[in-house]
Amino acid sequence: TLFPYTTLFRSPGELPSFLRRIGFSSASGLSNGPEGRGDFRSNLSGEELQLQALGESYINVTPLELLAAYAMLAHRNRDATVAPVFEGLEGAVEYGNAQAVKLNGIQVAGKTGSVRDESGARLAWFAGFAPSRSPEVAVTVLVQGNSGGADAAPVGGRLLRSYFATRA
């Protein structure tokens, strides 16, 4: 199998319920103007469900929805059940594809990726927050490009450096 889906959710209906609960497919409330909404398919099973759980198919998320989800995750920094997620996000910045986001003296948690939009254009993204264990700011970057690490993470790093420079 592609992904041990049953280790995360006990029934196929739990993933769509979880996605709705964290705000995917609804307005994030972070925009003052009109806001697009992502979508995802329900009632999937087998390999389709596994691909959705990995974010490979059957799910579309807007940058604002992703930002809201990362901000929600950042606020769970004291929840032991998500500690492995925090460690993975910190590791991606420390020695993975998100190294361009690394800040001196401030630990960042984040993830990079790449997708194709409906027209087939390649997009690169970064989403994360800092300081990772006592979050103040979350950032999401989506740019045209091939690699989240090479194309989106440097933009995320500049945004975070600018934010923390204003606090110095």
Side-chain angles (χ1 to χ4, degrees):
T1 64
L2 289 173
F3 182 69
Y5 180 81
T6 56
T7 63
L8 294 177
F9 300 101
R10 291 181 183 86
S11 70
E14 285 186 61
L15 179 59
S17 175
F18 173 76
L19 295 173
R20 270 192 281 299
R21 195 168 57 250
I22 65 170
F24 290 178
S25 80
S26 61
S28 70
L30 299 173
S31 173
N32 291 330
E35 185 178 329
R37 296 176 186 196
D39 63 358
F40 55 88
R41 287 196 26 213
S42 297
N43 302 321
L44 299 175
S45 62
E47 189 171 307
E48 290 177 336
L49 187 57
Q50 293 170 349
L51 289 170
Q52 185 182 53
L54 290 170
E56 291 291 325
S57 294
Y58 312 106
I59 184 167
N60 294 304
V61 179
T62 70
L64 283 176
E65 288 171 334
L66 192 59
L67 178 64
Y70 268 76
M72 189 180 310
L73 174 63
H75 289 297
R76 293 185 61 189
N77 63 328
R78 300 198 196 305
D79 183 343
T81 62
V82 294
V85 175
F86 274 71
E87 291 167 13
L89 294 172
E90 291 165 348
V93 172
E94 188 61 32
Y95 47 80
N97 287 339
Q99 289 182 50
V101 181
K102 217 186 275 192
L103 302 176
N104 291 329
I106 299 171
Q107 191 166 27
V108 179
K111 175 77 178 89
T112 63
S114 60
V115 297
R116 289 190 184 267
D117 70 10
E118 293 173 357
S119 73
R122 294 190 59 90
L123 302 172
W125 62 269
F126 168 79
F129 48 88
S132 63
R133 298 300 169 133
S134 185
E136 293 179 27
V137 62
V139 62
T140 300
V141 174
L142 179 69
V143 296
Q144 202 160 19
N146 294 319
S147 164
D151 300 318
V155 177
R158 286 193 299 273
L159 290 170
L160 289 171
R161 278 188 281 289
S162 176
Y163 172 82
F164 286 105
T166 63
R167 297 182 57 250

